[in-house]
Amino acid sequence: MAGRLYIEALNTARLLDDLVIDSPIVTSPNLAPRHWLSMLRLEQGHIHLGRAFWGMTPSWLKVLDHAPHCARAESLDERRMFREAFSARRCLIPVSGVYIWKQLPRQKQPFLVTRVDREPFMLAGIWCRYMTDTKTAFDSMALITVEVDAPLTPLTDRFPAVISAEQAAAWLSPETPLAQARDLLTPAPPALLGAFPVERLVNDPANQHWHCARPTGHMLTATRGAIPATGY
C-alpha cells in the first residue's frame, strides 16, 4: 500500500508542460493520510495544480477516520464513491517518493521508493468535491493501488499506479474510455523505480525531519541489484 509520501520542493516544469499553478507544491518528508497534498486535475481543458485532502471524503461520509486513502484498481466498481470518481474525476499526485514497510520477523523495516534517476513522478488517484457552503469547496482524494512487479515484490504486494507524463492527458480526461483508463493502471516499469531502507524515524508521522528519507542501505533495483543510495 502507500501509507506515507515523500515530497520535495518539485520543479513543476519537470512534471508536465503548461501547468496552471493554483497552489504551490505541498512539501513534506513524511506526509501521512488525512493531510493536505498537491493534486493535478483537468479543468476546462487545462491541467491545474491545486490541493486536496488525502482521504476520500464525500459529503455523506459521517466519520472522517473512515475516509479511504487508497483504492484497489481491481475493485473500483465495487464502491459508489470510487466508481463515480473513476468515471469522471481522475487525478495525479506528484511525489518524490513513497514509503513502504517490509515485514520482518520482529518488526517492520521502512523503505523509500523513488525513481532510479531521482526525478519526480506521478501517482494515479481519484477525487471528489462537495460544497461546504455556496462559495467553498472541499476536495479530497485517494490513491489507486495495483499489484507490484520487480524490484518491489520482496517488499510489498501493492503500490500506487504510476502514470507517465505521456499518459497524463489521457488519464485525466473524462473523455477517455474507461477501458483505456483501466489499461493505464499497471505496475510501474521494472527499470523505473528503486527502493532503499531508511531510518525508522519515519514510523512516527509526527516526525517531519528530512532525515526520514536518509538511506541506511543500498538501493534495490530490478536491473542492477543493490547499488549505493545517494543524494539524500
Side-chain angles (χ1 to χ4, degrees), residues 6-7 10 19 22 33 50 59 62 64 72-73 88-89 102 105 116 121-122 130-131 140 146 176-177 182 206 211 220:
Y6 174 71
I7 308 172
L10 306 178
L19 281 179
D22 296 329
S59 58
K62 298 186 182 300
L64 187 61
R72 296 170 69 96
R89 295 183 301 277
K102 179 182 180 179
V116 171
F121 55 107
M122 296 178 291
Y130 76 86
M131 303 300 295
S140 61
V146 296
T176 300
R182 288 183 191 281
H211 285 317
L220 305 175

Side-chain angles (χ1 to χ4, degrees), residues 76 82-88 90 126 171 178 181-182 185:
L76 287 172
F82 296 159
R83 182 172 59 252
E84 294 177 353
F86 178 57
S87 175
R90 297 186 290 271
I126 50 179
W171 171 254
L178 286 184
R182 288 183 191 281
L185 298 174

Side-chain angles (χ1 to χ4, degrees), residues 7 30 39-40 54 68 74 77 79 84 108 111 113-115 121 129 143 152 158 165 169 175 178 204 217 220 223 226:
I7 308 172
N30 187 14
M39 178 177 75
L40 297 165
W54 187 10
E74 303 90 337
D77 290 331
R79 298 178 65 176
E84 294 177 353
K108 290 183 178 181
F111 282 76
V113 180
T114 71
R115 280 182 54 137
F121 55 107
R129 167 178 291 177
L143 295 172
L152 302 184
R158 301 195 69 81
E175 303 301 320
L178 286 184
D204 184 351
L220 305 175
T223 56

Side-chain angles (χ1 to χ4, degrees), residues 200-218:
R200 290 190 173 87
L201 184 70
V202 75
N203 291 348
D204 184 351
N207 287 330
Q208 291 295 311
H209 308 288
W210 292 101
H211 285 317
C212 288
R214 184 168 58 189
T216 60
H218 287 183

Side-chain angles (χ1 to χ4, degrees), residues 51-62:
R51 294 187 178 183
F53 182 78
W54 187 10
M56 284 282 279
T57 312
S59 58
W60 44 262
L61 189 72
K62 298 186 182 300

Side-chain angles (χ1 to χ4, degrees), residues 70-223:
C70 287
R72 296 170 69 96
E74 303 90 337
S75 56
L76 287 172
D77 290 331
E78 295 179 5
R79 298 178 65 176
R80 182 181 63 173
M81 74 167 81
F82 296 159
R83 182 172 59 252
E84 294 177 353
F86 178 57
S87 175
R89 295 183 301 277
R90 297 186 290 271
C91 64
L92 291 167
I93 306 302
V95 299
S96 307
V98 179
Y99 293 104
I100 58 176
W101 278 259
K102 179 182 180 179
Q103 182 64 61
L104 300 177
R106 295 182 179 273
Q107 59 191 346
K108 290 183 178 181
Q109 170 62 50
F111 282 76
L112 180 60
V113 180
T114 71
R115 280 182 54 137
V116 171
D117 60 7
R118 304 297 200 275
E119 289 294 311
F121 55 107
M122 296 178 291
L123 308 177
I126 50 179
W127 67 281
C128 69
R129 167 178 291 177
Y130 76 86
M131 303 300 295
T132 56
D133 55 45
T134 57
K135 296 182 179 179
T136 306
F138 182 91
D139 294 338
S140 61
M141 53 72 58
L143 295 172
I144 301 176
T145 66
V146 296
E147 294 182 350
V148 300
D149 213 334
L152 302 184
T153 45
L155 307 178
T156 185
D157 59 351
R158 301 195 69 81
F159 192 77
V162 176
I163 303 294
S164 69
E166 294 75 21
Q167 299 167 329
W171 171 254
L172 293 173
S173 174
E175 303 301 320
T176 300
L178 286 184
Q180 182 180 341
R182 288 183 191 281
D183 288 343
L184 300 177
L185 298 174
T186 60
L192 182 69
L193 302 178
F196 52 83
V198 295
E199 302 277 358
R200 290 190 173 87
L201 184 70
V202 75
N203 291 348
D204 184 351
N207 287 330
Q208 291 295 311
H209 308 288
W210 292 101
H211 285 317
C212 288
R214 184 168 58 189
T216 60
H218 287 183
M219 173 179 276
L220 305 175
T221 71
T223 56

Side-chain angles (χ1 to χ4, degrees), residues 16-21 40-43 45-49 92 168-169 172:
L16 294 170
D17 295 329
D18 301 322
L19 281 179
V20 179
I21 310 297
L40 297 165
R41 63 176 167 227
L42 193 66
E43 295 184 19
H46 299 282
I47 299 177
H48 287 245
L49 176 67
L92 291 167
L172 293 173

